[in-house]
CSV table of all heavy atoms in Angstrom, one decimal:
chain,number,residue,atom,x,y,z
S,8,ASP,N,-7.9,-41.0,-62.1
S,8,ASP,CA,-6.5,-40.7,-61.8
S,8,ASP,C,-6.4,-39.2,-61.5
S,8,ASP,O,-6.2,-38.4,-62.4
S,8,ASP,CB,-5.6,-41.1,-63.0
S,8,ASP,CG,-4.1,-41.0,-62.7
S,8,ASP,OD1,-3.7,-40.3,-61.7
S,8,ASP,OD2,-3.3,-41.5,-63.5
S,9,MET,N,-6.4,-38.9,-60.2
S,9,MET,CA,-6.5,-37.5,-59.9
S,9,MET,C,-5.2,-36.8,-60.1
S,9,MET,O,-5.2,-35.6,-60.4
S,9,MET,CB,-7.0,-37.4,-58.4
S,9,MET,CG,-8.4,-37.8,-58.1
S,9,MET,SD,-8.9,-37.5,-56.4
S,9,MET,CE,-8.8,-35.7,-56.3
S,10,VAL,N,-4.1,-37.5,-60.0
S,10,VAL,CA,-2.8,-36.9,-60.2
S,10,VAL,C,-2.7,-36.5,-61.7
S,10,VAL,O,-2.2,-35.3,-62.0
S,10,VAL,CB,-1.7,-37.9,-59.9
S,10,VAL,CG1,-0.3,-37.3,-60.3
S,10,VAL,CG2,-1.7,-38.2,-58.4
S,11,ALA,N,-3.2,-37.3,-62.6
S,11,ALA,CA,-3.1,-36.9,-64.0
S,11,ALA,C,-4.3,-36.1,-64.5
S,11,ALA,O,-4.4,-35.8,-65.7
S,11,ALA,CB,-3.1,-38.3,-64.8
S,12,GLY,N,-5.2,-35.8,-63.6
S,12,GLY,CA,-6.4,-35.0,-64.0
S,12,GLY,C,-7.4,-35.8,-64.8
S,12,GLY,O,-8.1,-35.2,-65.6
S,13,GLN,N,-7.4,-37.2,-64.7
S,13,GLN,CA,-8.3,-38.0,-65.5
S,13,GLN,C,-9.4,-38.4,-64.7
S,13,GLN,O,-9.4,-39.0,-63.7
S,13,GLN,CB,-7.5,-39.2,-65.9
S,13,GLN,CG,-8.4,-40.3,-66.6
S,13,GLN,CD,-7.6,-41.5,-67.0
S,13,GLN,OE1,-6.8,-41.5,-68.0
S,13,GLN,NE2,-7.9,-42.6,-66.3
S,14,PRO,N,-10.7,-38.1,-65.1
S,14,PRO,CA,-11.8,-38.5,-64.3
S,14,PRO,C,-12.2,-39.9,-64.6
S,14,PRO,O,-11.8,-40.5,-65.6
S,14,PRO,CB,-13.0,-37.6,-65.0
S,14,PRO,CG,-12.5,-37.4,-66.4
S,14,PRO,CD,-11.0,-37.3,-66.3
S,15,ASP,N,-12.8,-40.5,-63.6
S,15,ASP,CA,-13.3,-41.8,-63.8
S,15,ASP,C,-14.6,-41.7,-64.7
S,15,ASP,O,-15.3,-40.7,-64.6
S,15,ASP,CB,-13.6,-42.6,-62.6
S,15,ASP,CG,-14.6,-41.9,-61.7
S,15,ASP,OD1,-14.6,-40.7,-61.6
S,15,ASP,OD2,-15.4,-42.6,-61.0
S,16,VAL,N,-14.8,-42.7,-65.5
S,16,VAL,CA,-16.0,-42.7,-66.4
S,16,VAL,C,-16.7,-44.1,-66.2
S,16,VAL,O,-16.0,-45.1,-66.3
S,16,VAL,CB,-15.6,-42.5,-67.9
S,16,VAL,CG1,-16.9,-42.4,-68.7
S,16,VAL,CG2,-14.9,-41.2,-68.0
S,17,CYS,N,-17.9,-44.1,-66.1
S,17,CYS,CA,-18.7,-45.3,-65.9
S,17,CYS,C,-18.9,-46.1,-67.2
S,17,CYS,O,-18.7,-45.5,-68.3
S,17,CYS,CB,-20.1,-45.0,-65.3
S,17,CYS,SG,-21.2,-44.2,-66.4
S,18,ASN,N,-19.1,-47.3,-67.1
S,18,ASN,CA,-19.6,-48.1,-68.3
S,18,ASN,C,-20.9,-47.6,-68.7
S,18,ASN,O,-21.8,-47.3,-67.8
S,18,ASN,CB,-19.7,-49.6,-68.0
S,18,ASN,CG,-18.3,-50.2,-67.7
S,18,ASN,OD1,-17.3,-49.8,-68.2
S,18,ASN,ND2,-18.3,-51.1,-66.7
S,19,VAL,N,-21.2,-47.5,-70.0
S,19,VAL,CA,-22.5,-47.0,-70.5
S,19,VAL,C,-23.1,-48.2,-71.3
S,19,VAL,O,-22.4,-48.8,-72.1
S,19,VAL,CB,-22.3,-45.8,-71.4
S,19,VAL,CG1,-23.6,-45.4,-72.2
S,19,VAL,CG2,-21.8,-44.6,-70.6
S,20,ILE,N,-24.3,-48.4,-71.1
S,20,ILE,CA,-25.1,-49.4,-71.9
S,20,ILE,C,-25.9,-48.7,-72.9
S,20,ILE,O,-26.6,-47.8,-72.7
S,20,ILE,CB,-26.0,-50.2,-71.0
S,20,ILE,CG1,-25.2,-50.9,-69.8
S,20,ILE,CG2,-26.8,-51.3,-71.8
S,20,ILE,CD1,-24.2,-51.9,-70.3
S,21,VAL,N,-25.8,-49.2,-74.2
S,21,VAL,CA,-26.6,-48.7,-75.3
S,21,VAL,C,-27.3,-50.0,-75.9
S,21,VAL,O,-26.7,-51.0,-76.3
S,21,VAL,CB,-25.7,-48.1,-76.4
S,21,VAL,CG1,-26.5,-47.5,-77.5
S,21,VAL,CG2,-24.8,-47.0,-75.8
S,22,HIS,N,-28.6,-49.9,-76.0
S,22,HIS,CA,-29.5,-51.0,-76.3
S,22,HIS,C,-30.6,-50.5,-77.2
S,22,HIS,O,-31.2,-49.5,-76.9
S,22,HIS,CB,-29.9,-51.7,-75.0
S,22,HIS,CG,-30.9,-52.7,-75.2
S,22,HIS,ND1,-30.6,-54.0,-75.6
S,22,HIS,CD2,-32.3,-52.8,-74.9
S,22,HIS,CE1,-31.7,-54.8,-75.7
S,22,HIS,NE2,-32.7,-54.1,-75.2
S,23,ARG,N,-31.0,-51.4,-78.1
S,23,ARG,CA,-32.2,-51.1,-78.9
S,23,ARG,C,-33.2,-52.2,-78.7
S,23,ARG,O,-33.0,-53.4,-78.7
S,23,ARG,CB,-31.9,-51.0,-80.4
S,23,ARG,CG,-33.1,-50.4,-81.1
S,23,ARG,CD,-32.9,-50.4,-82.6
S,23,ARG,NE,-33.2,-51.7,-83.2
S,23,ARG,CZ,-33.2,-52.1,-84.5
S,23,ARG,NH1,-32.7,-51.2,-85.4
S,23,ARG,NH2,-33.4,-53.3,-84.9
S,24,ALA,N,-34.5,-51.8,-78.4
S,24,ALA,CA,-35.6,-52.7,-78.2
S,24,ALA,C,-36.7,-52.2,-79.2
S,24,ALA,O,-37.4,-51.2,-78.9
S,24,ALA,CB,-36.1,-52.7,-76.8
S,25,GLY,N,-36.8,-52.9,-80.3
S,25,GLY,CA,-37.7,-52.4,-81.3
S,25,GLY,C,-37.3,-51.1,-81.9
S,25,GLY,O,-36.2,-50.9,-82.4
S,26,ASP,N,-38.2,-50.1,-81.8
S,26,ASP,CA,-37.8,-48.7,-82.3
S,26,ASP,C,-37.4,-47.8,-81.2
S,26,ASP,O,-37.3,-46.7,-81.3
S,26,ASP,CB,-39.0,-48.2,-83.1
S,26,ASP,CG,-40.2,-47.9,-82.2
S,26,ASP,OD1,-40.2,-48.3,-81.0
S,26,ASP,OD2,-41.2,-47.2,-82.6
S,27,LEU,N,-37.1,-48.5,-80.0
S,27,LEU,CA,-36.7,-47.7,-78.8
S,27,LEU,C,-35.2,-47.8,-78.6
S,27,LEU,O,-34.7,-48.9,-78.4
S,27,LEU,CB,-37.4,-48.1,-77.6
S,27,LEU,CG,-37.0,-47.5,-76.3
S,27,LEU,CD1,-37.3,-46.0,-76.2
S,27,LEU,CD2,-37.7,-48.2,-75.1
S,28,LEU,N,-34.4,-46.7,-78.6
S,28,LEU,CA,-33.1,-46.6,-78.3
S,28,LEU,C,-32.9,-46.3,-76.8
S,28,LEU,O,-33.5,-45.3,-76.3
S,28,LEU,CB,-32.3,-45.6,-79.1
S,28,LEU,CG,-30.8,-45.4,-78.8
S,28,LEU,CD1,-30.0,-46.6,-79.3
S,28,LEU,CD2,-30.3,-44.1,-79.3
S,29,VAL,N,-32.2,-47.2,-76.1
S,29,VAL,CA,-32.1,-47.1,-74.6
S,29,VAL,C,-30.6,-46.8,-74.3
S,29,VAL,O,-29.7,-47.5,-74.7
S,29,VAL,CB,-32.5,-48.4,-73.9
S,29,VAL,CG1,-32.4,-48.1,-72.4
S,29,VAL,CG2,-33.9,-48.7,-74.3
S,30,LEU,N,-30.4,-45.7,-73.6
S,30,LEU,CA,-29.1,-45.4,-73.0
S,30,LEU,C,-29.2,-45.4,-71.5
S,30,LEU,O,-30.0,-44.9,-70.9
S,30,LEU,CB,-28.7,-43.9,-73.4
S,30,LEU,CG,-28.7,-43.6,-74.9
S,30,LEU,CD1,-28.3,-42.1,-75.1
S,30,LEU,CD2,-27.9,-44.5,-75.7
S,31,VAL,N,-28.2,-46.2,-70.9
S,31,VAL,CA,-28.1,-46.3,-69.5
S,31,VAL,C,-26.9,-45.6,-69.1
S,31,VAL,O,-25.8,-46.0,-69.2
S,31,VAL,CB,-28.1,-47.7,-69.0
S,31,VAL,CG1,-28.1,-47.8,-67.4
S,31,VAL,CG2,-29.3,-48.5,-69.5
S,32,ASP,N,-27.1,-44.4,-68.6
S,32,ASP,CA,-26.0,-43.4,-68.3
S,32,ASP,C,-25.4,-42.8,-69.5
S,32,ASP,O,-25.5,-43.4,-70.6
S,32,ASP,CB,-25.0,-44.0,-67.3
S,32,ASP,CG,-25.5,-44.2,-65.9
S,32,ASP,OD1,-26.4,-43.5,-65.5
S,32,ASP,OD2,-25.1,-45.1,-65.2
S,33,SER,N,-24.6,-41.8,-69.3
S,33,SER,CA,-24.0,-41.1,-70.4
S,33,SER,C,-22.5,-40.8,-70.2
S,33,SER,O,-21.8,-40.3,-71.1
S,33,SER,CB,-24.7,-39.8,-70.7
S,33,SER,OG,-24.4,-38.8,-69.7
S,34,GLY,N,-21.9,-41.3,-69.1
S,34,GLY,CA,-20.5,-41.0,-68.8
S,34,GLY,C,-20.2,-39.6,-68.8
S,34,GLY,O,-20.9,-38.7,-68.5
S,35,VAL,N,-18.9,-39.3,-69.1
S,35,VAL,CA,-18.4,-37.9,-69.2
S,35,VAL,C,-17.2,-37.9,-70.1
S,35,VAL,O,-16.7,-39.0,-70.4
S,35,VAL,CB,-18.1,-37.4,-67.7
S,35,VAL,CG1,-16.8,-38.2,-67.2
S,35,VAL,CG2,-17.8,-35.9,-67.7
S,36,THR,N,-16.8,-36.8,-70.6
S,36,THR,CA,-15.8,-36.5,-71.6
S,36,THR,C,-16.3,-36.6,-73.0
S,36,THR,O,-17.2,-37.3,-73.3
S,36,THR,CB,-14.5,-37.3,-71.5
S,36,THR,OG1,-14.8,-38.6,-72.0
S,36,THR,CG2,-14.1,-37.5,-70.0
Side-chain angles (χ1 to χ4, degrees):
D8 186 341
M9 294 185 65
V10 175
Q13 171 183 291
D15 58 324
V16 183
C17 70
N18 297 325
V19 172
I20 302 297
V21 185
H22 174 72
R23 194 187 79 179
D26 65 352
L27 175 65
L28 178 71
V29 182
L30 307 179
V31 183
D32 289 330
S33 68
V35 70
T36 76

